[in-house]
Amino acid sequence: MSSSGKTGLRCEAIRRSLAQRHGQDPGAGAIAGAALGLWREVADCLAPLIGSRGVDALVRRSLQLTTPAFPWLGLSGERADGLGPLTGIKPLLEARDPMAATEASVALLVAFTDMLATMIGASLTDRLLDPIWTSPPPKLPEETAS
Amino acid sequence: MSQKVCIKQLPSGVPGLDSILGGGLPEFSFNLITGPPGSGKTTLAHQMMFALATRERRALFFTVLGEPPLKMLRYQQQFSFFKPGMVNDTIRFVNLADAVASGRFDQVLASIMKEVEAFSPGLVFVDSFRSILLEATPHAKGALGPQEFIQQLGIQLSSWQATTFLIGEEPSASDTHPIFTVADGLLCLYQSVYRNSMVRKIQVTKLRGQATSPGIHTFRITASGIEIFPAAVVPGDTESGSATAVAPRSDGRLAMGVPGLDAMLGGGLPSGYSLLVAGPSGSGKTILATAFLAEGVRLGQPGVIVAFEQTPSQSWTRTIDDLVRSGKIGLINTRLLDLSIDEIVQHLIDLIHRMKATRVVIDSLSGFELAVAPTFREDFRESLFRMVSVLSGLGVTVLMTSELEDRYGDLRFSPNGAAFLTDAIIVQRYVELDSRLNRVMAVVKVRGSAHSNELRQYEITRDGIIIGAPVVGYEGLLTGRPTRTPASPTAPGRRP
């Protein structure tokens, strides 16, 4: 399969996964929360493998690649709270309309997975990240407790 | 029944490695793989890991501060042994950078053991232990130091029944470093640079409880990974024939495929002999060698040729090509210039077994010597001896050609003393007779056999070598200044 075909499939899988996490007719806040949740899962999956600094470096590059299409993403300053380069984008997504927030979230995750595939190959990337796109959202601790 | 412990040997999955390890990797052993940057340590570790990892014997690969894990995954995937489908199933990569950054050995050890307990691996790799030793330092008095860290790691992983490999550059003051005492096995990788060539070498410096193959062995890294070429071992007199012999020893003789030559050799070339065909450029050595192989094919005796000087335009090369294409003879044709003799011997042995070959041609020793990496040229004669001995142990009959400089004042049969190593010698020369350049051939020796001592003229025709009459009526032919024998006015080329 061509790389653009692969990207298309990944894009659809990421979009489905995001929708699964934010539910129907979400506001921009729910979309931002779902997107951050997905990023957390991605980081949890990859950090043991390539180190948290390795994940942060890829996220920074993804932000740079996505900013031309969504210039407002460039306003996300990295906070000094040690939570990595993504912490600044939540308020930016919340401030947009739901469609723009969805498109930017999907584009950022697609840029990240495409770049990872360029680095370590599509096969290994899919092997590592497909479970995130295809599995139901993990239950939050309070949900598990109830 | 014996109550002694029996250590299981794991097949490493690296061609040639099990042989030099003395059978395989001892299960639950604690091993070091050392070598300078670029020597192939990580590749060796990955190749073993992908070969050994199964659902029942999973592998944990810890990366530290050496090669960035992303790059390691990127580059290791270029090898065919890397199977992405095994990652996060039977193989798990874990980055230890955060634990190492803490600067505490006990924290690094705890992180390793936490992952080991969670994943329950049968194989553990740490790449690189040097980074841990450099980065982590005991902070407080009584904290774990590097020596205790290594000892604890060895004890805990062995107790966990994991076969472990620590990978890294050799620590300084290697002879006294505790890691070398703790380790059960020590694999040292080198890059030997001599003049403009680089040869990769490996040595099993230590392996507890196993008879390893001593000495330094060469290896090559290709798209398939690492292939080691164990140094050819000369069979001893006490060994009752090689277990891998392809041709049973016999008193038979092999037809050479050149009319008249068998008679000169006393009835053909004795089976299992090595024959040196020495002659100047253009004298027909390759043609004779090709005839030897073609005759074997005709008689149902498969052959193998190791060629170093083939050029496609030669008609006789086309004959060899035809025989190779039809699968009747095997060909090793190399233009690499950084070979070790052991590499050629290994490929030759594999091909001999595959083809069930009984005839082997090496064309030529001069080309072979050029193809061998400069670092091995000083030992070329010894290496040739090992090669001839190994081939003899296989029971095959060997024909080697050797380029001979036409120096009439200095009659030698090969520039590297190969004549001494061979059982039989045929020499070809040019001689000037009656203002014509004539080719002559003689059998110099056939060990333990009567043979002709005639100097016979021969021609090279479309049908091959045609041996003519002995040169009589002249003397001093080999000096380049023949004179007519006064007692016999017979013209050359005519029988008396």
Side-chain angles (χ1 to χ4, degrees):
Chain A
M1 187 183 291
S2 68
S3 59
S4 60
K6 271 269 177 199
T7 298
L9 284 179
R10 271 191 217 116
C11 182
E12 285 311 307
I14 289 168
R15 194 180 290 280
R16 265 198 312 274
S17 186
L18 191 66
Q20 206 174 20
R21 278 159 178 78
H22 61 52
Q24 283 191 329
D25 297 325
I31 293 166
L36 264 289
L38 270 179
W39 275 112
R40 232 171 266 126
E41 287 178 57
V42 168
D44 287 349
C45 165
L46 293 178
L49 186 70
I50 61 174
S52 49
R53 289 174 205 173
V55 175
D56 286 352
L58 289 178
V59 172
R60 278 189 204 99
R61 175 72 176 141
S62 310
L63 270 168
Q64 193 200 24
L65 291 171
T66 316
T67 299
F70 302 93
W72 46 271
L73 278 176
L75 302 171
S76 67
E78 197 164 326
R79 296 209 313 242
D81 54 8
L83 292 175
L86 279 167
T87 50
I89 70 158
K90 192 161 185 258
L92 295 174
L93 291 172
E94 285 168 342
R96 296 284 139 180
D97 64 74
M99 186 179 281
T102 300
E103 292 310 313
S105 299
V106 170
L108 197 53
L109 281 160
V110 167
F112 180 90
T113 47
D114 278 357
M115 192 169 43
L116 191 64
T118 309
M119 297 296 289
I120 63 170
S123 174
L124 189 54
T125 300
D126 293 344
R127 168 108 204 134
L128 296 170
L129 298 182
D130 271 2
I132 297 172
W133 316 138
T134 53
S135 64
K139 287 185 174 161
L140 296 171
E142 56 267 27
E143 287 178 82
T144 316
S146 63
Chain B
M1 196 172 77
S2 171
Q3 297 296 306
K4 286 183 174 179
V5 66
C6 180
I7 297 176
K8 191 175 169 188
Q9 293 179 319
L10 308 175
S12 67
V14 179
L17 182 57
D18 294 346
S19 166
I20 66 171
L21 288 172
L25 296 160
E27 196 175 33
F28 312 145
S29 56
F30 186 73
N31 308 287
L32 296 187
I33 302 173
T34 69
S39 58
K41 304 180 293 295
T42 302
T43 303
L44 179 66
H46 272 79
Q47 194 170 344
M48 290 194 291
M49 179 171 70
F50 277 93
L52 285 166
T54 59
R55 289 269 162 84
E56 295 71 36
R57 187 175 52 226
R58 300 194 288 177
L60 254 182
F61 196 104
F62 291 103
T63 54
V64 195
L65 289 176
E67 188 178 357
L70 204 60
K71 284 194 174 184
M72 186 189 73
L73 291 171
R74 177 175 169 81
Y75 291 114
Q76 287 300 317
Q77 276 189 63
Q78 307 311 307
F79 295 110
S80 58
F81 59 73
F82 193 105
K83 304 279 185 289
M86 292 172 74
V87 177
N88 279 4
D89 181 19
T90 54
I91 291 172
R92 189 167 143 78
F93 290 92
V94 175
N95 187 256
L96 281 179
D98 291 341
V100 173
S102 73
R104 294 176 58 96
F105 283 115
D106 51 355
Q107 198 153 327
V108 178
L109 187 63
S111 297
I112 291 175
M113 291 317 298
K114 185 180 155 211
E115 294 290 344
V116 166
E117 285 167 25
F119 194 63
S120 202
L123 301 159
V124 173
F125 298 81
V126 181
D127 188 5
S128 84
F129 71 88
R130 182 93 197 279
S131 300
I132 296 177
L133 297 180
L134 285 176
E135 290 297 319
T137 48
H139 276 201
K141 200 175 179 185
L144 210 58
Q147 186 163 346
E148 294 102 316
F149 167 73
I150 292 293
Q151 274 169 342
Q152 283 295 318
L153 190 65
I155 291 166
Q156 297 209 27
L157 290 175
S158 299
S159 306
W160 200 262
Q161 294 185 297
T163 309
T164 304
F165 300 87
L166 304 191
I167 301 139
E169 289 173 48
E170 212 165 284
S172 54
S174 60
D175 52 340
T176 58
H177 201 283
I179 199 166
F180 294 97
T181 317
V182 174
D184 301 316
L186 180 54
L187 303 180
C188 301
L189 276 54
Y190 311 98
Q191 293 180 89
S192 167
V193 178
Y194 182 74
R195 297 171 76 167
N196 64 342
S197 81
M198 192 274 278
V199 177
R200 298 182 185 277
K201 297 179 180 176
I202 183 169
Q203 185 177 21
V204 184
T205 310
K206 173 184 182 182
L207 192 59
R208 288 193 172 118
Q210 285 187 197
T212 59
S213 182
I216 295 176
H217 310 272
T218 53
F219 70 95
R220 191 175 283 280
I221 301 180
T222 66
S224 306
I226 286 177
E227 184 180 4
I228 297 170
F229 311 106
V233 177
V234 178
D237 286 342
T238 51
E239 291 172 38
S240 54
S242 169
T244 55
V246 287
R249 300 214 169 275
S250 76
D251 296 329
R253 290 188 178 238
L254 273 63
M256 295 297 296
V258 176
L261 188 54
D262 291 344
M264 290 174 71
L265 286 162
L269 182 62
S271 172
Y273 267 35
S274 52
L275 164 67
L276 180 71
V277 178
S281 179
S283 65
K285 301 180 292 298
T286 300
I287 295 172
L288 197 155
T290 308
F292 173 70
L293 286 176
E295 182 69 0
V297 168
R298 197 181 68 79
L299 297 171
Q301 300 163 353
V304 165
I305 179 167
V306 188
F308 297 95
E309 295 181 317
Q310 299 295 326
T311 48
S313 59
Q314 292 175 331
S315 60
W316 282 95
T317 306
R318 283 201 295 276
T319 306
I320 290 174
D321 281 348
D322 291 345
L323 291 171
V324 171
R325 279 177 212 281
S326 61
K328 289 170 180 160
I329 66 168
L331 170 70
I332 297 176
N333 192 0
T334 181
R335 285 189 168 74
L336 293 173
L337 292 176
D338 58 351
L339 290 170
S340 73
I341 290 202
D342 294 322
E343 182 173 354
I344 281 291
V345 170
Q346 188 59 51
H347 288 158
L348 186 52
I349 290 172
D350 291 346
L351 192 57
I352 287 169
H353 282 292
R354 205 161 60 240
M355 301 285 303
K356 294 185 171 57
T358 55
R359 297 182 179 221
V360 173
V361 165
I362 295 165
D363 186 29
S364 68
L365 292 182
S366 323
F368 195 177
E369 191 175 7
L370 276 180
V372 163
T375 183
F376 298 116
R377 284 185 198 152
E378 286 173 15
D379 302 326
F380 189 69
R381 189 163 178 247
E382 287 81 354
S383 302
L384 262 187
F385 170 65
R386 286 212 315 271
M387 183 180 75
V388 171
S389 302
V390 167
L391 293 176
S392 168
L394 289 173
V396 294
T397 307
V398 186
L399 186 156
M400 297 182 285
T401 67
S402 176
E403 181 87 9
L404 195 66
E405 269 186 64
D406 243 348
R407 287 191 296 186
Y408 292 103
D410 179 18
L411 184 60
R412 287 192 298 174
F413 303 118
S414 83
N416 35 48
F420 159 74
L421 307 172
T422 55
D423 302 307
I425 299 173
I426 291 173
V427 66
Q428 299 173 332
R429 298 293 291 257
Y430 291 112
V431 294
E432 183 197 337
L433 292 173
D434 299 331
S435 299
R436 286 179 56 205
L437 201 56
N438 293 270
R439 293 183 176 97
V440 294
M441 180 191 306
V443 176
V444 177
K445 83 168 181 184
V446 182
R447 197 167 279 162
S449 167
H451 60 86
S452 161
N453 58 4
E454 291 172 332
L455 208 52
R456 300 279 289 268
Q457 288 195 75
Y458 67 95
E459 287 176 23
I460 297 173
T461 70
R462 287 178 63 86
D463 299 323
I465 292 175
I466 308 292
I467 295 180
V471 185
V472 292
Y474 286 85
E475 59 186 18
L477 284 166
L478 296 180
T479 66
R481 292 180 182 173
T483 54
R484 285 188 187 277
T485 312
S488 172
T490 312
R494 287 182 204 141
R495 287 182 181 277

